[in-house]
Amino acid sequence: MEIRQIRYFMEVAMREHVTDAADALHVAQSSVSRQIFNLESELGVDLFIREGRRVKLTPIGKIFLDRMQQAMNFIDEARREVEEYLDPEKGTIRIAYPISLAAYTLPTVIYAFRLRYPEAKFQLKQALYRDIIDGVIKGDFNLALIGPLPMEERKIDRKILFTENIVALLPIHHPLAERSSLKLRELKDDPFVLLPEGFVFRDIVVNACNELGFSPHVAFEGDDIDALKGLVSAGLGVALMPEVTLVESIPRSTVKIPLTEPNVTRTVGVITPIHRSLLPTEKLFYDFLNEFFARLDHFNN
């Protein structure tokens, strides 16, 4: 088996089309077909089901793809480790993050890091909560910012960077809009705007309401935090959201109000794989994360 064969195989598997894979690889279609044929002959199995010009993985092909993705991750990391060993300040950091940290937290820390290491590069991946955890475990990336921290997962290491408050965002003409604080149960009869099911932050909101004996009436769903802000601005409901998402500005026609009962919070931190070491540039960024948020916490207190 050659690395070239594996790369050709993975490209065809992703695109389910030999011609499209060849175009993406900038090689002749016949070369891709020949390498796939040689790989199947060497393994003694069919990796693809041919359906005209399209192809689909066989059951064993799916297993082989999963293993090869992990293997190629290790090969790519080995190459990067050698490069970064020579000059870690010029390496690449692959990091995943959820949508709630995309607008402020991650850009802020990357900006500060690149002031110190201006030649460092980043590959960023926004993903759902469970996909972030699985990606760190499988080796798709070695670092992820995440909130809340998954405390039960045994295959990752975790470090809390800060704990943030969850606040209420109300339309400016809401009857409680002039309050300096409010109790969550005071919103039990209001329409809520929430993220769709599958987002862990939705679970935080729903669980906080359930603990007070009510289920939020979901009037609308938004695909991201900015969508929720827009729905509240339009007067279509109330929302709970991480305070960090409102740091730079409060959306037009809305007010932010702290919650006092209960004090809803979430932990935000960084996770890394327990069985793999960080690459040199990743280790620089990991140490910087801890230093940055420790200094920020000291300043705030």
Side-chain angles (χ1 to χ4, degrees):
M1 255 186 323
E2 301 175 0
I3 290 180
R4 179 176 58 173
Q5 289 177 328
I6 302 305
R7 293 195 184 278
Y8 285 12
F9 160 74
M10 293 175 65
E11 193 70 33
V12 173
M14 179 182 70
R15 299 181 183 277
E16 296 187 336
H17 199 288
V18 176
T19 302
D20 291 350
D23 290 343
L25 293 163
H26 305 292
V27 298
Q29 177 181 333
S30 58
S31 177
V32 175
S33 297
R34 183 171 60 254
Q35 293 298 333
I36 296 297
F37 175 79
N38 292 342
L39 179 60
E40 290 179 319
S41 298
E42 181 178 345
L43 294 172
V45 296
D46 289 331
L47 297 172
F48 293 102
I49 301 170
R50 275 72 178 178
E51 299 177 345
R53 295 186 176 182
R54 304 200 68 83
V55 296
K56 289 188 176 181
L57 287 168
T58 62
I60 190 63
K62 293 178 181 178
I63 295 173
F64 186 71
L65 174 63
D66 184 62
R67 298 294 184 269
M68 288 302 100
Q69 286 174 328
Q70 295 178 44
M72 293 306 295
N73 282 338
F74 283 120
I75 291 172
D76 289 342
E77 283 193 5
R79 175 185 53 78
R80 288 173 55 214
E81 189 164 11
V82 172
E83 294 172 352
E84 292 178 13
Y85 178 81
L86 298 175
D87 196 346
E89 295 184 10
K90 296 181 179 180
T92 299
I93 300 147
R94 293 182 298 166
I95 185 165
Y97 58 95
I99 197 167
S100 61
L101 300 178
Y104 181 79
T105 303
L106 185 60
T108 300
V109 74
I110 288 178
Y111 176 79
F113 181 78
R114 295 194 76 247
L115 287 177
R116 184 179 299 181
Y117 305 108
E119 296 187 71
K121 298 173 285 295
F122 284 85
Q123 292 178 2
L124 306 177
K125 173 66 175 178
Q126 182 176 296
L128 294 176
Y129 189 80
R130 187 65 241 181
D131 293 337
I132 291 173
I133 299 169
D134 291 341
V136 170
I137 293 172
K138 290 167 58 180
D140 295 334
F141 23 81
N142 283 335
L143 279 169
L145 287 182
I146 196 168
L149 276 180
M151 303 308 294
E152 304 300 323
E153 180 57 62
R154 296 181 179 179
K155 295 181 180 179
I156 59 171
D157 282 324
R158 59 192 65 76
K159 170 71 175 180
I160 294 177
L161 297 174
F162 61 94
T163 299
E164 66 173 336
N165 291 322
I166 307 301
V167 299
L169 189 69
L170 276 56
I172 197 167
H173 298 302
H174 190 281
L176 302 177
E178 295 185 3
R179 294 274 294 276
S180 59
S181 65
L182 56 81
K183 301 175 181 179
L184 180 55
R185 63 169 48 90
E186 294 179 275
L187 300 176
K188 66 183 180 66
D189 295 323
D190 279 86
F192 275 72
V193 295
L194 298 179
L195 294 172
E197 292 188 7
F199 283 81
V200 71
F201 187 73
R202 178 192 176 107
D203 296 336
I204 292 176
V205 175
V206 171
N207 291 340
C209 294
N210 289 344
E211 288 178 4
L212 295 176
F214 74 95
S215 295
H217 167 60
V218 183
F220 294 94
E221 294 181 346
D223 290 334
D224 54 41
I225 294 293
D226 284 339
L228 298 187
K229 293 177 182 178
L231 291 169
V232 176
S233 294
L236 298 176
V238 302
L240 302 189
M241 56 183 53
E243 190 169 23
V244 71
T245 63
L246 301 169
V247 166
E248 293 191 328
S249 65
I250 307 296
R252 183 170 54 88
S253 301
T254 68
V255 293
K256 177 189 77 172
I257 304 179
L259 294 172
T260 57
E261 291 185 23
N263 180 26
V264 186
T265 63
R266 75 165 180 173
T267 56
V268 176
V270 58
I271 59 173
T272 57
I274 199 167
H275 296 304
R276 297 191 312 277
S277 298
L278 295 178
L279 297 177
T281 309
E282 293 170 338
K283 183 65 166 57
L284 272 182
F285 186 66
Y286 180 87
D287 292 341
F288 181 85
L289 281 172
N290 286 282
E291 174 194 338
F292 180 85
F293 286 103
R295 289 170 55 196
L296 192 63
D297 181 65
H298 178 74
F299 176 79
N300 289 336
N301 293 327

